[in-house]
Amino acid sequence: MTAMNRSDRPLLNRRLAEFGTTIFAEMSALAARTGAINLGQGFPDTDGPEEVREAAVRALRDGRGNQYPPGPGVPELREAVAAHQLARYGLSYDPGTEVLVTAGATEAIAAALLALVEPGDEVVALEPYYDSYAASIAMAGGTRVPVTLRPHDGAFRLDLDELRDAVTDRTRLLLLNTPHNPTGTVLTREELAAVAELAVERDLLVVTDEVYEHLVLDGPGHVPLAGLPGMRERTLTISSAGKTFSFTGWKVGWVTGTPALVTAVRSAKQYLTFVASGPFQYAVAEALALPDAYFTDLRESLRTKRDLLVTGLTEAGFGVFRPMGTYFVTTDIRPLGESDGFAFCRALPERAGVVAIPNAVFYDHREAGAPFVRFAFCKRAEILEEAVTRLKRLSS
Ligand SMILES: *Cc1c(COP(=O)(O)O)cnc(C)c1O
């Protein structure tokens, strides 16, 4: 439906016209109507640690954060973020000038793009990309230049030549995401080194979305791009509490980078939300200081769920890209005799009582994503088992 005003102009402006409704709304409504198991949207069905929830209650009761917190974020959280970057990655950031708290990673991404991109600037992003990237680039007036991750030996990989070719004189920044949603790809140290080399050579800024930094399920663990040679001074690193602590509703995110970069992001951020999530900021400060066992257990639990879903989907006849990170698994529906992920996902609740997301929504080159479908495994094991049982009916 298109509302018109007196000049017959569409209500939604040109920048946002293509972003009318999200697939998540459509699919979640379908899940509600059919009673299907929702493996579409990526939120955990179990809340995060009790002591972190209690920390939020305590902050709220003690009157910490109930009024506007400081614009850059409460000092406790900024210090905790800085301590986390130093202890985990050896990256040193000044909590006073190099850390900014945001309303989730989503606001951090939007504010970074609004701050750094001039209309007409090109932003290179890995395709398929998280859905807010396209909208944020558009709101900033930028032009997105997708570089497609391509299936290769059971995983979606970055073609470094394609990345190189995508950079032009108009490229303002690279927008990176590792571990990568929706493919589950984790860029290797070698790939990151090549990205860093390119960024230095072409003098590019990099915004890197590392919200799944603690969900690297195989291999040596997360490598932050900012730690590579020449990168600290040109990289804005974004993360958030939602995925790491299973509190996606709290919307506490943060940005780290040089004072100049962080100040730029803050200039945009202060007129978006100004501040957000007061008491939750104190709770997340405590969460970041949880003992290692918390992070190891989280990974262990997700590894078990991944293996359960990967095995089940394989037995159900899907082609499966075993994810190295995140809590999503991308599948290929062609072995099931299907080719259109949209049609498949629209029919799946009726056919099998499960909701999934067609990866094509994360592509500009929709045809490149057509046969791929994403399932989330941040759900209780019995839910995943039931989903797998239902999906096996597809091939029987
Ligand atoms: C979930 C997600 C976000 C959003 O994080 P919030 O902190 O909830 O705003 C950003 N990027 C990616 C890749 C995500 O999957």
Side-chain angles (χ1 to χ4, degrees):
M1 195 169 52
T2 315
M4 297 287 178
N5 73 354
R6 59 202 164 101
S7 60
D8 281 355
R9 200 176 100 178
L11 197 59
L12 192 58
N13 72 40
R14 212 176 294 141
R15 291 189 305 287
L16 291 178
E18 65 175 297
F19 305 107
T21 42
T22 82
I23 189 79
F24 299 102
E26 181 187 341
M27 289 300 162
S28 290
L30 203 54
R33 197 166 73 239
T34 58
I37 297 174
N38 192 351
L39 303 187
Q41 212 169 5
F43 60 87
D45 63 356
T46 310
D47 285 347
E50 187 56 33
E51 65 263 46
V52 176
R53 214 160 16 153
E54 283 305 318
V57 171
R58 227 186 312 118
L60 207 136
R61 285 224 179 90
D62 295 349
R64 287 180 302 148
N66 290 332
Q67 308 304 331
Y68 295 133
V74 304
E76 287 84 346
L77 179 52
R78 281 183 280 135
E79 276 154 26
V81 167
H84 173 273
Q85 297 307 91
L86 187 62
R88 303 255 160 209
Y89 310 123
L91 285 167
S92 170
Y93 288 102
D94 176 356
T97 57
E98 299 190 309
V99 180
L100 172 69
V101 176
T102 57
T106 307
E107 187 194 37
I109 295 158
L113 291 164
L114 287 168
L116 300 172
V117 172
E118 291 286 0
D121 282 349
E122 293 178 354
V123 176
V124 173
L126 308 185
E127 172 188 71
Y129 42 67
Y130 184 62
D131 59 345
S132 89
Y133 296 180
S136 291
I137 294 167
M139 286 192 273
T143 303
R144 62 182 186 270
V145 177
V147 173
T148 310
L149 299 179
R150 301 193 187 277
H152 181 74
D153 280 347
F156 285 81
R157 302 267 38 130
L158 172 62
D159 181 328
L160 292 163
D161 291 327
E162 263 186 67
L163 180 65
R164 214 160 252 290
D165 291 344
V167 174
T168 73
D169 293 341
R170 288 183 303 280
T171 307
R172 172 63 163 169
L173 62 87
L174 303 180
L175 177 50
L176 227 65
N177 170 220
T178 183
H180 184 263
N181 173 11
T183 63
T185 291
V186 175
L187 296 179
T188 63
R189 186 176 279 280
E190 292 67 37
E191 287 167 329
L192 289 170
V195 170
E197 218 172 280
L198 178 64
V200 170
E201 180 191 315
R202 303 298 299 266
D203 195 18
L204 303 173
L205 297 173
V206 182
V207 175
T208 170
D209 175 347
E210 304 185 358
V211 298
Y212 295 102
E213 62 183 310
H214 286 289
L215 307 191
V216 177
L217 304 178
D218 298 323
H222 181 65
V223 178
L225 188 68
L228 278 85
M231 292 313 287
R232 193 194 184 283
E233 59 265 38
R234 60 179 70 251
T235 303
L236 271 168
T237 304
I238 293 173
S239 193
S240 105
K243 313 294 161 58
T244 299
F245 300 110
S246 299
F247 288 116
T248 57
W250 287 12
K251 298 301 285 189
V252 177
W254 52 87
V255 175
T256 50
T258 61
L261 283 169
V262 165
T263 302
V265 178
R266 200 176 140 194
S267 303
K269 183 260 183 303
Q270 65 191 339
Y271 298 116
L272 293 174
T273 57
F274 178 46
V275 291
S277 312
F280 297 128
Q281 292 191 26
Y282 292 96
V284 171
E286 291 191 31
L288 282 168
L290 283 171
D292 256 358
Y294 167 74
F295 300 91
T296 328
D297 291 352
L298 172 72
R299 275 194 291 277
E300 191 48 47
S301 145
L302 279 171
R303 223 174 264 134
T304 306
K305 292 175 184 193
R306 174 197 59 188
D307 294 347
L308 194 167
L309 191 60
V310 162
T311 306
L313 288 167
T314 307
E315 286 170 7
F318 289 83
V320 180
F321 298 90
R322 190 169 191 273
M324 299 265 295
T326 76
Y327 45 51
F328 300 107
V329 52
T330 285
T331 59
D332 186 340
I333 57 175
R334 284 172 294 190
L336 291 166
E338 304 271 349
S339 56
D340 178 351
F342 270 107
F344 180 81
C345 287
R346 289 208 171 95
L348 196 60
E350 294 287 355
R351 282 179 73 193
V354 175
V355 166
I357 296 291
N359 282 29
V361 300
F362 306 121
Y363 285 79
D364 279 311
H365 302 102
R366 295 238 156 163
E367 71 293 346
F372 305 120
V373 164
R374 188 192 82 175
F375 295 86
F377 55 84
C378 46
K379 311 290 175 182
R380 281 168 290 141
E382 59 269 31
I383 300 290
L384 296 174
E385 275 158 12
E386 174 60 23
V388 163
T389 304
R390 294 181 182 189
L391 289 166
K392 283 181 184 164
R393 287 181 211 141
L394 287 173
S395 48
S396 62

